[in-house]
Amino acid sequence: AENHWGPERSWTNLQKLYRAVDHPAFGISCHIGGWSGTDGERDAADREAAPWIAHTHISWDICEGPLEEKLANLWNAGYSGSYSVEHHSARNEYRNVAIQLAKVRAVLERFRTGASDRVGKR
């Protein structure tokens, strides 16, 4: 399930689905920040969903904004999946994806080396 369209953009709905399936092989494909609701509700959903996330989509907006905070949610939850970016401008996409990946890698390296204060102990 992915929080990208329709009723699955609601954290409450995906939470119900996740609990109903109740299987370790089922997870959420999370478009980070892609939830419905206010900024605060979207931030809370990113934090609360982190333990159940099996795959990520990290947009340009997140890479240019609260990237460290959003990745810290996953890192602190013990996320061990891949970190994927997406870009849909139809212009310079290869270059922009390379920029996004470099930003994600830089944040993860800071977490790995303990150079960030946003990361809890793992």
Side-chain angles (χ1 to χ4, degrees):
E2 181 180 0
N3 69 328
H4 218 307
W5 311 105
E8 59 270 14
R9 288 190 66 216
S10 162
W11 169 229
T12 301
N13 289 344
L14 270 186
Q15 200 171 24
K16 287 177 188 174
L17 175 63
Y18 185 89
R19 289 186 171 136
V21 172
D22 191 29
H23 191 277
F26 182 77
I28 295 170
S29 178
C30 185
H31 183 90
I32 306 294
W35 306 98
S36 59
T38 66
D39 288 344
E41 289 167 337
R42 287 191 299 273
D43 289 343
D46 281 335
R47 280 189 309 277
E48 293 169 17
W52 298 338
I53 293 175
H55 181 74
T56 65
H57 291 167
I58 304 167
S59 67
W60 180 266
D61 295 354
I62 297 298
C63 287
E64 288 293 301
L67 180 62
E68 190 166 335
E69 171 193 336
K70 299 303 183 177
L71 294 184
N73 292 334
L74 297 168
W75 185 273
N76 291 333
Y79 179 70
S80 61
S82 297
Y83 292 84
S84 301
V85 300
E86 64 179 10
H87 195 91
H88 301 296
S89 68
R91 292 187 306 181
N92 302 313
E93 288 196 17
Y94 291 121
R95 179 185 60 101
N96 290 336
V97 164
I99 291 167
Q100 288 173 265
L101 288 172
K103 288 181 178 210
V104 168
R105 286 181 179 131
V107 169
L108 294 174
E109 182 64 13
R110 285 195 301 275
F111 291 171
R112 190 187 68 72
T113 62
S116 173
D117 62 353
R118 292 187 184 266
V119 179
K121 302 293 182 205
R122 282 209 323 194

